[in-house]
Amino acid sequence: MIIGVPKEVKNNENRVALTPAGVHTLTKKGHIVLIETQAGIGSGIEDEAFISAGATIINHADEVFKSAEMIMKVKEPIPIEYDRLKEGQILFTYLHLAPNQELTDVLMRKKITAIAYETVELKDHSLPLLTPMSEVAGRMATQVGAFMLQKYTGGCGVLLGGVPGVMPGEVVVIGGGIVGLNATKMAVGLGAHVTLLDISPKRLAYIDDIFNGRVATLYSNPFNIAKAVEKADLLIGAVLIPGAKAPKLVTSKMVESMKDGAVIVDVAIDQGGLVETIDRITTHDQPSYVKHGVVHYAVANMPGAVPRTSTFALTGVTLPYALLLADQGFEGAITTNEALRKGVNTYKGHITHKQVAESFGYEMKEAMSLVENCEDTRRT
């Protein structure tokens, strides 16, 4: 298979979809890897490292898209990339389609076989290709929030850990999944007082156990959220429903109740965000804005700010699935691998993921129902 890796073009997105180790693995199996020149430079990977691993360096993204059977990216295509997509091409990347009807329609119209990292799902409902970036984003959420709380960035001037004789800052985390757990680890490590809300009693018990009672836990409901949000210096949104839009759990009224200079970091923004007052995605160039006196941070590609860590964490988990797709072809791979099959969002002009279809009121078709001769799809 010919695999293309273009340079990421989203604002301050410095990650790259393959490392030299990934290139080496794929080319040793006989596949061809085309890397756009300077694609890895933001992650500290020079073209020469890719060449030594067996890749061919291509000077322009247009040629990468034109020649490749499968495009591997980090972030979803943006409008300047839409025309580069080739009908029937495999696109393997983070997609977050539920809040993005324009991209969804493009993928359907071009009959793109789109596999979203964030919806590849194992039998235990874990999301192996989302987990490492959720860990990065969760840890960054506390780090970024602590920075934004400084007075000169618009914050209220609170040091999260406090000092002897002064109360620590109040951190409220909504969602006890991978993002929430990692945000909590960082906040506890800084010495903040942390309250975490989740709908799962089992998850709350787990959080209470691993932090030995150092984290206050609450059942997530509108009343408890409102009370917690009101006292927060830093509010971190960390709720995920795989493939679906994030629920709006924090209302405008709740935000208005927050103190001036409090900070909101909504990690769920790439799925639409869970804070009602966040009405736009921000960028690393202009990461925040103030509304109701509260600093809102809504950057959709947070891990792009720490690309050296993020690239190697991400590509370590995506490579086995990329290799499966390359070795067996798309239909063979989804026939033999249930987790990968759940990652398919569009195929042959149809939406193949339930939550994405429900977001727009579109019809959904199972990917396997569109596979011809699925018994004979596996390559030998």
Side-chain angles (χ1 to χ4, degrees):
M1 182 178 282
I2 302 172
I3 300 153
V5 179
K7 186 175 182 179
E8 297 294 322
V9 292
K10 197 163 188 172
N11 180 279
N12 277 291
E13 184 47 74
N14 293 296
R15 290 172 287 180
V16 64
L18 274 179
T19 59
V23 170
H24 181 267
T25 299
L26 288 161
T27 55
K28 282 295 183 182
K29 296 293 292 288
H31 306 296
I32 296 169
V33 180
L34 311 177
I35 307 275
E36 184 183 353
T37 185
Q38 301 292 291
I41 201 71
S43 296
I45 305 171
E46 303 282 349
D47 285 352
E48 290 73 19
F50 285 124
I51 293 169
S52 296
T56 300
I57 299 298
I58 304 296
N59 287 329
H60 199 279
D62 287 344
E63 289 302 313
V64 175
F65 278 87
K66 181 179 177 181
S67 302
E69 298 167 87
M70 176 166 71
I71 294 292
M72 288 188 68
K73 290 181 87 286
V74 176
K75 291 302 289 180
E76 74 282 351
I78 63 176
I80 63 171
E81 297 176 294
Y82 292 172
D83 287 341
R84 294 172 179 164
L85 291 166
K86 187 172 62 178
E87 184 165 323
Q89 207 164 38
I90 299 171
L91 175 63
F92 193 30
T93 187
Y94 287 119
L95 282 171
H96 301 291
L97 291 182
N100 193 341
Q101 186 168 358
E102 180 184 18
L103 176 58
T104 303
D105 290 342
V106 168
L107 298 177
M108 293 171 67
R109 185 174 69 250
K110 290 203 165 193
K111 296 182 170 61
I112 300 297
T113 299
I115 307 166
Y117 293 159
E118 74 275 8
T119 59
V120 173
E121 184 177 335
L122 299 175
K123 288 183 178 179
D124 64 0
H125 303 299
S126 63
L127 306 169
L129 308 192
L130 186 61
T131 294
M133 294 304 94
S134 294
E135 291 168 339
V136 170
R139 295 180 186 208
M140 280 190 69
T142 301
Q143 180 177 302
V144 165
F147 176 79
M148 290 291 170
L149 278 168
Q150 295 177 102
K151 194 67 178 177
Y152 78 91
T153 61
C156 56
V158 167
L159 180 67
L160 282 184
V163 291
V166 180
M167 292 292 288
E170 291 282 346
V171 177
V172 173
V173 181
I174 302 178
I178 301 297
V179 170
L181 177 61
N182 280 272
T184 299
K185 283 180 181 178
M186 294 293 282
V188 169
L190 287 172
H193 181 269
V194 185
T195 301
L196 182 142
L197 298 96
D198 198 273
I199 60 173
S200 167
K202 184 177 180 181
R203 189 64 175 177
L204 292 176
Y206 173 74
I207 297 290
D208 182 72
D209 184 48
I210 63 171
F211 287 105
N212 197 28
R214 292 178 65 194
V215 173
T217 57
L218 283 174
Y219 291 112
S220 184
N221 57 51
F223 183 86
N224 284 344
I225 291 173
K227 289 295 184 183
V229 165
E230 185 177 7
K231 69 176 184 178
D233 295 302
L234 171 60
L235 171 64
I236 296 174
V239 171
L240 173 73
I241 302 172
K245 281 186 178 180
K248 296 295 184 186
L249 299 179
V250 179
T251 66
S252 294
K253 185 176 180 180
M254 292 179 191
V255 174
E256 288 174 19
S257 76
M258 297 176 75
K259 64 192 75 172
D260 285 347
V263 174
I264 298 172
V265 177
D266 195 346
V267 185
I269 189 60
D270 49 16
Q271 290 293 124
L274 57 82
V275 180
E276 199 171 55
T277 49
I278 292 186
D279 52 12
R280 62 186 182 273
I281 292 174
T282 61
T283 67
H284 289 294
D285 283 344
Q286 295 181 307
S288 65
Y289 60 91
V290 177
K291 197 167 187 177
H292 302 309
V294 175
V295 178
H296 292 58
Y297 179 99
V299 175
N301 61 326
M302 291 176 67
V306 286
R308 185 70 179 179
T309 297
S310 299
T311 286
F312 285 87
L314 175 62
T315 58
V317 294
T318 57
L319 180 60
Y321 292 93
L323 188 61
L324 184 67
L325 286 162
D327 284 347
Q328 298 191 7
F330 169 73
E331 293 189 343
I334 68 163
T335 300
T336 58
N337 191 290
E338 183 182 355
L340 189 64
R341 184 161 67 245
K342 289 183 177 180
V344 184
N345 281 208
T346 67
Y347 181 46
K348 292 184 176 179
H350 300 279
I351 291 181
T352 53
H353 194 280
K354 181 181 177 183
Q355 280 73 26
V356 174
E358 287 178 349
S359 294
F360 310 118
Y362 288 172
E363 181 186 4
M364 176 264 189
K365 288 196 175 184
E366 294 283 351
M368 288 304 299
S369 71
L370 302 169
V371 173
E372 297 174 8
N373 304 317
C374 44
E375 320 244 324
D376 304 317
T377 51
R378 182 168 182 173
R379 292 182 181 178
T380 58

